[in-house]
Amino acid sequence: MSAPVPSVPALFDLTGTLALVTGSSRGIGRALAEGLAGAGATVVLNGRDPDRLERTWSELAATWGADRVHAYAFDVTDEPAVEAAVARVRSEVGEVGVLVNNAGVQHRVPMVDLDAADWRRVIETDLTSAFLVGRAVARSMISRGRGKIVNVASVQSDLARPGIAPYTAAKGGLRNLTRAMAAEWAASGVQVNALAPGYLATEMTQALVDDEQFDAWVRGRTPAARWGTPADLVGPVVWLASAASDFVNGQTIFVDGGMTVVV
């Protein structure tokens, strides 16, 4: 006899789950952390700027309480710092049940003018950090036989535009890193998937939003005829973090208003 079908609210309930969201002191990461908290999770914020991180922690803790929101400032590209921070979270807060690898940077310059140092900085922040934090967290998930990892990719995982070569390479790599993680860890009860946002109006993209020509291109290129917002990612991340996605693994979910399905 098949198991009873759980209620829909229970499928998406994250009560009792600890979620670590990297790069969550602002922008997309903050929105994802707020969405997970709204679904019942206890969240661990992360950023490199201690002052900004403290402000974000204070604002979120005022809504959900200091017992539901925690903050750890560390550099996700620094291997010893990552290992130490994950160990501290485990001993001071609890085992991470959900990891959202969101930390990322952008660098816009023609490839022939691109410094190797800037290439490495983007690759390390947008791709290598997901490996470092993912590996550190996955060890415990594997031993416990359960866990969720969500890597924040991009439409640039599948598409390219001039001037953003390291970002495009990193996000393409992140899509395949997601597959590799799933291939190695799925049998241990860990689900690893990626979200690939389209063009979102955020602090990082404000200059593009304000550029009339680029704004018109985004609206014309996107079937939904608008920019996305960080709030558009909340439902998908809660789904991927919850029991509702227990048989979804290695997938990249495009949240792009249809951009990647048209020519």
Side-chain angles (χ1 to χ4, degrees):
M1 181 179 295
S2 62
V5 176
S7 68
V8 170
L11 279 174
F12 295 90
D13 185 7
L14 297 178
T15 301
T17 299
L18 181 64
L20 167 60
V21 184
T22 67
S24 50
S25 62
R26 60 179 176 177
I28 293 172
R30 173 174 174 154
L32 297 181
E34 290 189 78
L36 294 168
T42 296
V43 298
V44 176
L45 306 173
N46 156 261
R48 287 189 296 186
D49 184 329
D51 294 334
R52 180 188 294 138
L53 188 63
E54 175 68 21
R55 289 194 299 271
T56 302
W57 172 84
S58 179
E59 291 167 3
L60 270 61
T63 299
W64 285 286
D67 60 328
R68 293 268 313 281
V69 183
H70 305 268
Y72 288 79
F74 63 94
D75 183 349
V76 293
T77 69
D78 183 328
E79 182 177 1
V82 167
E83 294 290 341
V86 170
R88 281 188 61 204
V89 171
R90 183 177 297 122
S91 65
E92 297 173 2
V93 187
E95 296 284 4
V96 175
V98 174
L99 167 64
V100 180
N101 280 313
N102 167 75
V105 295
Q106 178 63 284
H107 187 77
R108 300 180 185 277
V109 66
M111 205 184 320
V112 293
D113 299 322
L114 178 65
D115 285 345
D118 290 320
W119 167 273
R120 286 190 291 269
R121 178 176 62 89
V122 175
I123 296 294
E124 288 171 5
T125 305
D126 293 15
L127 176 58
T128 304
S129 70
F131 158 68
L132 292 175
V133 185
R135 182 186 61 176
V137 169
R139 293 189 183 109
S140 176
M141 290 179 172
I142 290 167
S143 67
R144 288 181 287 123
R146 64 184 185 279
K148 303 276 189 174
I149 297 176
V150 182
N151 296 321
V152 179
S154 165
V155 290
Q156 264 71 46
S157 299
D158 213 34
L159 304 174
R161 271 186 64 83
I164 54 172
Y167 184 84
T168 302
K171 294 302 186 178
L174 190 57
R175 185 175 190 181
N176 268 346
L177 177 62
T178 299
R179 290 167 169 152
M181 288 175 163
E184 295 204 17
W185 302 337
S188 299
V190 181
Q191 289 85 55
V192 188
N193 294 287
L195 286 179
Y199 282 86
L200 305 187
T202 67
E203 182 178 337
M204 192 168 85
T205 62
Q206 190 58 52
L208 299 178
V209 175
D210 294 338
D211 182 321
E212 291 185 6
Q213 184 176 358
F214 196 88
D215 175 64
W217 177 83
V218 168
R219 293 176 185 276
R221 181 68 176 76
T222 306
R226 69 172 176 88
W227 289 75
T229 70
D232 289 316
L233 300 179
V234 169
V237 81
V238 169
W239 170 55
L240 291 177
S242 73
S245 62
D246 278 353
F247 202 53
V248 180
N249 226 327
Q251 303 302 309
T252 296
I253 310 302
F254 285 83
V255 187
D256 64 357
M259 175 176 278
T260 52
V261 300
V262 298
V263 294

